[in-house]
Amino acid sequence: MTTSAKNRLAVNIAGIEMKNPVMPASGCFGFGREYAQFYDLNKLGAVAVKATTVEERQGNPTPRVAETPGGMLNAIGLQNPGLDDVMAYELPWLEKFDQLPVIVNVAGTVTDDYIKVAERVSEAPNVAGIELNISCPNVKCGGITFGTDPEIAGQLTAEIKKVSKVPVFVKLSPNVTDVVTIAKAVEAAGADGLSMINTLLGMRIDLKTRRPILANGTGGLSGPAIKPVAIRMIYEVSQQVSIPIIGMGGIQSADDVIEFFMAGASAVAVGTANFVDPLICPTIIDELEAKLDHYGVQTIGELTGAGWKR
Amino acid sequence: MNKGVLNVISNSSIAERIFRLEVEGDLVGCMTQPGQFVHVKCGTGIDPLLRRPISICDVDIERRRLTMIYRAEGHGTHVLSQYVPGQPLDILGPLGEGFPVEGRKVGEHALLVGGGIGVPPLYYLGKELKKRGVRVTFVIGFGTASQVFLKRELAELGEVHVVTLDGTAGIKGLVTDVLTEEYGLKTSDWDVLYSCGPLPMLRALQDTYQAAGKEGYISLEQRMGCGIGACLACVCPVQEPGEGKKYRKICSDGPVFAFGEVQLV
């Protein structure tokens, strides 16, 4: 895939050429089948598909979602069909979109799980990158337990780098005191890029039953409500690392994309907004070029870190 | 499956906290299967953020009109209840797999059982069944008389039995109390059962009539994210896992399932 020099929206993140900087976020887009009923997925800059684990996972009991002002709590629990099924059906299905780099979100319980999944999915012909999920707040083992300790996060990153044939992005959790330390640790361990942020741990209680609304008790908060947290964390981290950041957290407009770039992102992922409007990604992509004119810039890439570069 | 902006024709209260909303637009043209639902953006801002699933009560394909009946229960439906004629409403749909009516034969007898806000989709279903020459009988249950709605409209399609918990309208009790030989609705009298309503009601119907070997369909409800099958928020386990299927998505595999297809937990 080559990117035209005239394409003002094109970005390159850790060697992945994207014709525009917008991808749907992992966990909010399945493997793309549902959204392909609404538009040609080739329109997207890339796609980050559902977290994949070695074995099939059934996820958490329902209710799995609860709403909050400007946000949504979810506790899906990494439900996915498992590595074999993803390799046999889901990734080959995505091959029909020949201009669509695929980023596979890799999850696990122990280090070996992550290694198995990362090694195999990175061999698939259309997989351009992997996103190491060390920040899912909705599973008891794995997920966030790897993402809150800089040393463990670094070790896992190094192990994955040994087996992955494609760039490795590490998805960071906002549920830590010092996200910069974790970011630096995974960069030092060889991460090619970062994804930030995953959801914020939250809870709601049903006033009638006096019990948490989510069957899992707690869940991950996403949506516009978390955007300022994401902007702040990307602003802090991008000044301290030299690897690219895929920014995410409440993006629902082209203006939001610009703001994430100014904070320090080099590409963005759109999550919860897909649920509100299944056409949100192509809509944002269509609006981006006019926004560049509006803010007087030539290419979107120029905006990375504009919020702190002097 | 599509997305469109429809104009509100009317939106008014028809019973305690129950509203009847009629909208008009091209999207209505594809709403041909009873039991499907639409995903409605209540308001234009970020609060409420997510869409609300609302059942399709009636469709007039020629006039491009869709009728929804909903209960103003939470924040989203309260916002929806404030819409006035002429206002645009963002709707995604029709979504899901509805009640199967193909293959029903002339002269068959269908029992349509609804509870509370589960009653509306039975109207469109009743119309489609009647069109196919199927005799329809409705059993509809509510809490109290002030919550009863659609009785008159359903009566134009078939026999209607109203049940209320407190006995202020119709028979006192539960819908299942009416489905007894003493009451006169013998199991052997009907060929197929379609139902929508609270989970305990659906469970009671499935337990009783699946065991009796009857054909039946139930429509489920669950908190949803996307409404199209991508987010996996509204899943339910299958009754007997097989062929790799361990769960079903209520939004896209349902909301209607055959007796025994899923576990009612």
Side-chain angles (χ1 to χ4, degrees):
Chain A
M1 194 181 313
T2 56
T3 306
S4 161
K6 287 178 189 163
N7 185 354
R8 304 166 67 193
L9 299 182
V11 295
N12 180 314
I13 50 164
I16 303 173
E17 297 271 2
M18 292 171 61
K19 55 190 170 293
N20 67 66
V22 179
M23 71 181 82
S26 175
C28 300
F29 208 71
F31 291 90
R33 290 178 193 270
E34 291 77 15
Y35 290 91
Q37 299 171 82
F38 288 91
Y39 61 92
D40 180 358
L41 302 188
N42 276 322
K43 174 101 181 166
L44 300 165
V47 61
V49 298
K50 185 88 181 132
T52 298
T53 53
V54 177
E55 305 293 341
E56 178 185 7
R57 282 207 195 183
Q58 295 305 310
N60 292 323
T62 55
R64 292 175 168 187
V65 290
E67 204 177 44
T68 68
M72 179 187 112
L73 284 168
N74 91 79
I76 308 296
L78 298 184
Q79 179 176 330
N80 79 91
L83 178 58
D84 287 342
D85 195 276
V86 168
M87 292 301 290
Y89 304 108
E90 304 298 350
L91 293 177
W93 179 82
L94 278 164
E95 281 181 38
K96 73 171 91 160
F97 304 98
D98 57 351
Q99 295 154 55
L100 182 67
V102 177
I103 296 174
V104 178
N105 186 289
V106 172
T109 304
V110 294
T111 304
D112 275 354
D113 296 343
Y114 282 95
I115 291 172
K116 269 183 204 153
V117 178
E119 186 165 22
R120 272 190 70 199
V121 298
S122 72
E123 284 166 357
N126 56 339
V127 170
I130 60 177
E131 182 177 66
L132 202 52
N133 187 345
I134 56 166
S135 47
C136 177
N138 296 325
V139 288
K140 287 193 180 73
C141 301
I144 201 166
T145 51
F146 282 90
T148 48
D149 182 318
E151 198 175 325
I152 295 171
Q155 282 167 5
L156 182 66
T157 304
E159 292 293 327
I160 298 307
K161 275 298 289 176
K162 281 183 208 162
V163 298
S164 176
K165 289 142 193 89
V166 293
V168 176
F169 290 78
V170 180
K171 191 165 184 174
L172 301 185
S173 170
N175 303 305
V176 294
T177 310
D178 181 8
V179 71
V180 172
T181 307
I182 312 250
K184 282 181 163 175
V186 299
E187 182 185 36
D192 299 284
L194 302 171
S195 291
M196 0 184 359
I197 55 174
N198 207 320
T199 54
L200 287 151
L201 193 59
M203 179 186 266
R204 281 205 62 202
I205 291 171
D206 185 312
L207 302 186
K208 285 182 194 156
T209 65
R210 304 181 179 191
R211 294 283 171 269
I213 293 175
L214 296 172
N216 193 49
T218 59
L221 180 63
S222 61
I226 72 163
K227 197 183 94 178
V229 179
I231 295 290
R232 185 266 295 177
M233 289 193 153
I234 293 166
Y235 185 89
E236 286 177 355
V237 168
S238 63
Q239 294 180 65
Q240 301 290 326
V241 300
S242 55
I243 49 178
I245 296 171
I246 304 171
M248 64 199 78
I251 292 174
Q252 52 170 10
S253 69
D255 273 339
D256 289 340
V257 175
I258 304 276
E259 192 175 347
F260 271 78
F261 267 74
M262 289 180 174
S266 296
V268 294
V270 177
T272 306
N274 289 291
F275 303 161
V276 183
D277 178 0
L279 293 164
I280 194 70
C281 286
T283 301
I284 290 174
I285 292 164
D286 286 341
E287 287 172 355
L288 263 178
E289 203 153 313
K291 287 291 175 186
L292 295 187
D293 290 336
H294 182 75
Y295 295 108
V297 287
Q298 271 305 308
T299 67
I300 187 110
E302 290 167 41
L303 290 174
T304 297
W308 49 263
K309 281 177 185 165
R310 291 291 177 265
Chain B
M1 187 193 306
N2 225 319
K3 186 167 131 30
V5 175
L6 288 84
N7 283 316
V8 173
I9 301 295
S10 63
N11 187 23
S12 55
S13 173
I14 57 167
E16 191 186 325
R17 290 187 298 145
I18 303 291
F19 287 76
R20 182 182 184 278
L21 169 62
E22 194 179 11
V23 294
E24 184 182 87
D26 292 340
L27 191 65
V28 175
C30 48
M31 298 180 183
T32 53
Q33 193 190 7
Q36 289 185 294
F37 67 96
V38 289
H39 219 23
V40 180
K41 180 78 177 91
C42 304
T44 52
I46 59 166
D47 186 27
L49 180 65
L50 299 175
R51 289 171 180 269
R52 296 295 188 271
I54 296 179
S55 67
I56 293 171
C57 174
D58 192 20
V59 172
D60 185 334
I61 300 280
E62 278 179 20
R63 293 169 70 214
R64 303 181 305 135
R65 288 194 176 185
L66 157 70
T67 303
M68 294 165 266
I69 291 179
Y70 62 94
R71 184 163 56 211
E73 178 87 37
H75 181 40
T77 41
H78 274 294
V79 169
L80 190 60
S81 71
Q82 304 302 308
Y83 273 71
V84 295
Q87 241 181 304
L89 191 62
D90 182 339
I91 290 179
L92 187 60
L95 301 177
E97 297 293 331
F99 292 111
V101 293
E102 300 298 328
R104 297 255 68 96
K105 297 181 191 75
V106 174
E108 281 187 325
H109 183 196
L111 197 58
L112 279 56
V113 184
I117 205 61
V119 172
L122 301 184
Y123 180 73
Y124 190 23
L125 172 65
K127 260 174 67 172
E128 289 299 305
L129 288 170
K130 200 182 170 192
K131 228 190 261 178
R132 287 169 164 76
V134 175
R135 179 183 150 212
V136 288
T137 297
F138 298 93
V139 180
I140 52 175
F142 303 92
T144 188
S146 60
Q147 296 165 359
V148 177
F149 61 90
L150 268 184
K151 182 186 167 190
R152 185 174 47 82
E153 292 86 343
L154 294 175
E156 290 168 10
L157 303 173
E159 200 177 311
V160 180
H161 303 265
V162 175
V163 185
T164 51
L165 284 174
D166 63 3
T168 49
I171 308 296
K172 183 179 180 178
L174 302 166
V175 292
T176 41
D177 294 333
V178 178
L179 300 172
T180 57
E181 306 239 334
E182 297 82 48
Y183 186 79
L185 282 172
K186 289 182 198 164
T187 306
S188 55
D189 282 350
W190 49 269
D191 302 291
V192 60
L193 185 145
Y194 296 97
S195 185
C196 184
L199 200 59
M201 182 191 96
L202 299 178
R203 197 183 287 129
L205 293 169
Q206 176 171 288
D207 287 352
T208 307
Y209 297 113
Q210 191 191 356
K214 302 294 284 194
E215 180 183 0
Y217 303 91
I218 50 172
S219 180
L220 300 183
E221 191 180 37
Q222 181 59 264
R223 284 172 194 269
M224 287 180 188
C226 66
I228 60 172
C231 76
L232 306 181
C234 63
V235 299
C236 55
V238 299
Q239 195 125 300
E240 287 167 24
E243 294 172 12
K245 278 184 190 162
K246 294 189 180 120
Y247 67 88
R248 307 284 276 152
K249 299 183 247 188
I250 289 174
C251 69
S252 56
D253 297 324
V256 175
F257 296 98
F259 275 171
E261 200 175 344
V262 294
Q263 285 179 38
L264 301 180
V265 289

